[in-house]
Amino acid sequence: MNTPDSRADSAADLVAAEDVLLFVNAAITATGQREFRSRAVDQQLSLDFLHTYVRVNYRRVYAASLALDINHHNAALIVRRLLETADEASPEERRTEGRLIAARLAALPPQRVYRLFGELRRAKVNNRRTRAIMRNWLAARPDLGHDAVKYRAGLKTVARHIHLPCPEGGEPLAEVGAFLFRPGRARRYEHRMLDAWRRAHYEQGAVAELPFTVAEGFAAKHGMKREVFLKRAAPRMTRLERLRTQEQRTVGDRRPDADLTVMPLTRLALYVLSLGFEERAGRRAELTGALRAAARRAAGAHAGSWGRVHAVLDDSFSSSGSGQKRRRPLAVALACHHLLEVLAAPGAYRGLWTSGACDALLVRPWGPTPLGMRILDALEPGGDGAAPDRLVIVSDGWDNAPAGLAGEVLRVWRHRLDPGRRTAVVHVNPVYDAEGFDVRRLAAGVATAGIRDAEDLPALVEIARFAEGRTGPAELYAYLDRQVARFTGEGGCLVKRPEPAPTTVRTARAPGEDVTP
């Protein structure tokens, strides 16, 4: 028999689990940028509140979020908040946080890490633990000479902040120090990239040896023609730089070769949507083949394992996104369309766009959002008379034609027509709702998860099942534990059950306490 205390504990656990899921959804979707229906400042204020709330009340879970597929913006925010409030953590928490921070920094793009370190310096976060984390990250960089050229300001800031020793002499670190703090004095550098930067001031041939973003400035200084510069720089461009400059590198009617089949799925969908309708139609075989190849890579071992899958895909006008996130919601829907086709059993996929479009390659943001009508269509049995095993809805959740119909359809379906849950219904939402501190939901009984990249769909479906109420908080924390162990490469119970919010402020760290990251 449940005692009052056990019932209170269960209620507290459920509230904690809901808070965790709410934060995870925000950390996946929100970037602090303007959305279709909310300003950037609203997004930033909402996200700031969530980070503070979860860090104060569930610090272990807050740190464990670094092991999930959250976006880079929120990962950097979590690292910064953990390092700024190190005195609030116990020694055990600091050790776990150090491992998580090191693993996440290794996965972040270097320019974002340098930006984060600059923010820590401006915030005057200069404890031994922070300096050790910075030193370890720099020590793991494959080529500091390359970083000195491409991320010069960021590396210089970090070197000053952690008092990086740059001795005199011929060793590589000494050359980097001389390049950063004593520029123009060396007649030549042993490091190829540093010497190319020196020669690029007066020699056009050295410009093509530099990273593309650095070489652009020197090309403008030398007055090089854009097409000549791009042709010379092409071998050193990254995959995304090649895509961005592809139009400029077109010679006559011949487009330079670009292997789209190696592009990540969502990024490729964004590229496809940036093209005009005529170009998409003219390159149909190439673009469709690239999208399907990317979907097969993203599906991996999950390919063909989802049975019958029906999808409702939102291409209403709100999927155009904003000036900062142009066509992002529509790109996620297009990428999910191709991924779900691979995840479903062969010939068992059906995708329905809210606009009624039949050609996925030519979709565009247009019209209202009749989610309710499309969900009715998607729940109908297929040609063999069987209901779908999974219904996946990719939408921002603003059902307005008519308003509220989608939620009512799903409620009636779940309670009256499918109480045994033969059809699993999942709603993935690519847009953060700043007012609701979460992604917008369609119905209370439908699992909803935030999504940023379609590649994360299989993992997000696993997270979404915790929101249905069929699994308890213990399973959620066990899942977080497994993710932390996988991410850091260490076993053991690292997350544990979240403790209630502290009523008193922890004392500051005593001198000489362990600061190992």
Side-chain angles (χ1 to χ4, degrees), residues 25-41:
N25 282 338
I28 290 172
T29 56
T31 57
Q33 297 172 307
R34 181 184 174 187
E35 296 283 6
F36 184 82
R37 289 184 170 88
S38 60
R39 301 173 302 166
V41 64

mmCIF file of all heavy atoms in Angstrom, residues 25-41:
data_model
loop_
_atom_site.group_PDB
_atom_site.id
_atom_site.type_symbol
_atom_site.label_atom_id
_atom_site.label_comp_id
_atom_site.label_asym_id
_atom_site.label_seq_id
_atom_site.Cartn_x
_atom_site.Cartn_y
_atom_site.Cartn_z
ATOM 1 N N ASN A 25 13.705 19.079 -24.836
ATOM 2 C CA ASN A 25 13.066 19.575 -26.055
ATOM 3 C C ASN A 25 13.584 20.962 -26.423
ATOM 4 O O ASN A 25 13.851 21.265 -27.594
ATOM 5 C CB ASN A 25 11.553 19.620 -25.878
ATOM 6 C CG ASN A 25 10.904 18.260 -26.022
ATOM 7 O OD1 ASN A 25 11.464 17.363 -26.628
ATOM 8 N ND2 ASN A 25 9.724 18.103 -25.454
ATOM 9 N N ALA A 26 13.717 21.830 -25.411
ATOM 10 C CA ALA A 26 14.212 23.179 -25.669
ATOM 11 C C ALA A 26 15.665 23.156 -26.126
ATOM 12 O O ALA A 26 16.062 23.888 -27.040
ATOM 13 C CB ALA A 26 14.067 24.032 -24.413
ATOM 14 N N ALA A 27 16.479 22.310 -25.489
ATOM 15 C CA ALA A 27 17.901 22.262 -25.824
ATOM 16 C C ALA A 27 18.150 21.698 -27.219
ATOM 17 O O ALA A 27 19.190 21.961 -27.822
ATOM 18 C CB ALA A 27 18.651 21.426 -24.788
ATOM 19 N N ILE A 28 17.206 20.935 -27.733
ATOM 20 C CA ILE A 28 17.345 20.392 -29.081
ATOM 21 C C ILE A 28 16.932 21.412 -30.133
ATOM 22 O O ILE A 28 17.577 21.551 -31.175
ATOM 23 C CB ILE A 28 16.507 19.101 -29.228
ATOM 24 C CG1 ILE A 28 17.136 17.975 -28.409
ATOM 25 C CG2 ILE A 28 16.381 18.690 -30.694
ATOM 26 C CD1 ILE A 28 16.283 16.732 -28.329
ATOM 27 N N THR A 29 15.860 22.168 -29.873
ATOM 28 C CA THR A 29 15.270 23.021 -30.913
ATOM 29 C C THR A 29 15.663 24.484 -30.817
ATOM 30 O O THR A 29 15.858 25.147 -31.841
ATOM 31 C CB THR A 29 13.738 22.921 -30.866
ATOM 32 O OG1 THR A 29 13.286 23.269 -29.550
ATOM 33 C CG2 THR A 29 13.272 21.528 -31.193
ATOM 34 N N ALA A 30 15.755 25.038 -29.613
ATOM 35 C CA ALA A 30 15.931 26.488 -29.457
ATOM 36 C C ALA A 30 17.372 26.909 -29.692
ATOM 37 O O ALA A 30 18.307 26.257 -29.220
ATOM 38 C CB ALA A 30 15.487 26.926 -28.061
ATOM 39 N N THR A 31 17.557 28.006 -30.407
ATOM 40 C CA THR A 31 18.891 28.543 -30.657
ATOM 41 C C THR A 31 18.995 30.022 -30.293
ATOM 42 O O THR A 31 20.009 30.656 -30.587
ATOM 43 C CB THR A 31 19.271 28.377 -32.142
ATOM 44 O OG1 THR A 31 18.286 29.028 -32.953
ATOM 45 C CG2 THR A 31 19.345 26.913 -32.523
ATOM 46 N N GLY A 32 17.951 30.571 -29.666
ATOM 47 C CA GLY A 32 17.976 31.992 -29.317
ATOM 48 C C GLY A 32 17.792 32.910 -30.503
ATOM 49 O O GLY A 32 17.990 34.118 -30.388
ATOM 50 N N GLN A 33 17.393 32.364 -31.646
ATOM 51 C CA GLN A 33 17.191 33.167 -32.852
ATOM 52 C C GLN A 33 15.705 33.365 -33.105
ATOM 53 O O GLN A 33 14.855 32.678 -32.536
ATOM 54 C CB GLN A 33 17.829 32.467 -34.055
ATOM 55 C CG GLN A 33 19.329 32.314 -33.953
ATOM 56 C CD GLN A 33 19.885 31.457 -35.070
ATOM 57 O OE1 GLN A 33 19.425 30.345 -35.288
ATOM 58 N NE2 GLN A 33 20.902 31.960 -35.764
ATOM 59 N N ARG A 34 15.406 34.298 -33.974
ATOM 60 C CA ARG A 34 14.022 34.590 -34.297
ATOM 61 C C ARG A 34 13.358 33.391 -34.968
ATOM 62 O O ARG A 34 13.950 32.725 -35.804
ATOM 63 C CB ARG A 34 13.963 35.805 -35.237
ATOM 64 C CG ARG A 34 12.549 36.205 -35.624
ATOM 65 C CD ARG A 34 12.554 37.342 -36.620
ATOM 66 N NE ARG A 34 11.219 37.635 -37.111
ATOM 67 C CZ ARG A 34 10.942 38.484 -38.082
ATOM 68 N NH1 ARG A 34 11.937 39.135 -38.668
ATOM 69 N NH2 ARG A 34 9.712 38.700 -38.459
ATOM 70 N N GLU A 35 12.106 33.132 -34.571
ATOM 71 C CA GLU A 35 11.290 32.109 -35.222
ATOM 72 C C GLU A 35 10.139 32.800 -35.957
ATOM 73 O O GLU A 35 9.998 34.027 -35.906
ATOM 74 C CB GLU A 35 10.740 31.117 -34.191
ATOM 75 C CG GLU A 35 11.799 30.297 -33.468
ATOM 76 C CD GLU A 35 12.345 29.161 -34.312
ATOM 77 O OE1 GLU A 35 11.987 29.076 -35.503
ATOM 78 O OE2 GLU A 35 13.138 28.359 -33.780
ATOM 79 N N PHE A 36 9.334 32.021 -36.621
ATOM 80 C CA PHE A 36 8.233 32.583 -37.416
ATOM 81 C C PHE A 36 7.278 33.386 -36.534
ATOM 82 O O PHE A 36 6.786 34.435 -36.942
ATOM 83 C CB PHE A 36 7.468 31.456 -38.116
ATOM 84 C CG PHE A 36 6.380 31.934 -39.043
ATOM 85 C CD1 PHE A 36 6.682 32.354 -40.329
ATOM 86 C CD2 PHE A 36 5.054 31.979 -38.624
ATOM 87 C CE1 PHE A 36 5.682 32.803 -41.184
ATOM 88 C CE2 PHE A 36 4.048 32.419 -39.471
ATOM 89 C CZ PHE A 36 4.367 32.832 -40.756
ATOM 90 N N ARG A 37 7.013 32.925 -35.320
ATOM 91 C CA ARG A 37 6.015 33.565 -34.465
ATOM 92 C C ARG A 37 6.599 34.193 -33.207
ATOM 93 O O ARG A 37 5.853 34.595 -32.323
ATOM 94 C CB ARG A 37 4.952 32.541 -34.062
ATOM 95 C CG ARG A 37 4.028 32.133 -35.208
ATOM 96 C CD ARG A 37 2.938 31.204 -34.725
ATOM 97 N NE ARG A 37 1.926 31.007 -35.744
ATOM 98 C CZ ARG A 37 1.967 30.069 -36.689
ATOM 99 N NH1 ARG A 37 3.014 29.256 -36.738
ATOM 100 N NH2 ARG A 37 1.003 29.941 -37.584
ATOM 101 N N SER A 38 7.893 34.272 -33.067
ATOM 102 C CA SER A 38 8.470 34.886 -31.861
ATOM 103 C C SER A 38 9.783 35.578 -32.198
ATOM 104 O O SER A 38 10.516 35.150 -33.095
ATOM 105 C CB SER A 38 8.692 33.835 -30.769
ATOM 106 O OG SER A 38 9.564 32.821 -31.208
ATOM 107 N N ARG A 39 10.073 36.638 -31.458
ATOM 108 C CA ARG A 39 11.286 37.419 -31.685
ATOM 109 C C ARG A 39 12.491 36.731 -31.051
ATOM 110 O O ARG A 39 12.357 35.877 -30.186
ATOM 111 C CB ARG A 39 11.119 38.810 -31.088
ATOM 112 C CG ARG A 39 9.954 39.612 -31.644
ATOM 113 C CD ARG A 39 9.803 40.902 -30.858
ATOM 114 N NE ARG A 39 9.603 40.631 -29.427
ATOM 115 C CZ ARG A 39 9.705 41.558 -28.479
ATOM 116 N NH1 ARG A 39 10.027 42.800 -28.790
ATOM 117 N NH2 ARG A 39 9.495 41.225 -27.212
ATOM 118 N N ALA A 40 13.661 37.163 -31.469
ATOM 119 C CA ALA A 40 14.890 36.591 -30.921
ATOM 120 C C ALA A 40 14.997 36.865 -29.429
ATOM 121 O O ALA A 40 15.406 36.001 -28.650
ATOM 122 C CB ALA A 40 16.109 37.152 -31.658
ATOM 123 N N VAL A 41 14.615 38.061 -28.993
ATOM 124 C CA VAL A 41 14.733 38.392 -27.572
ATOM 125 C C VAL A 41 13.810 37.522 -26.733
ATOM 126 O O VAL A 41 14.151 37.120 -25.613
ATOM 127 C CB VAL A 41 14.449 39.894 -27.338
ATOM 128 C CG1 VAL A 41 12.999 40.246 -27.696
ATOM 129 C CG2 VAL A 41 14.758 40.302 -25.906
#
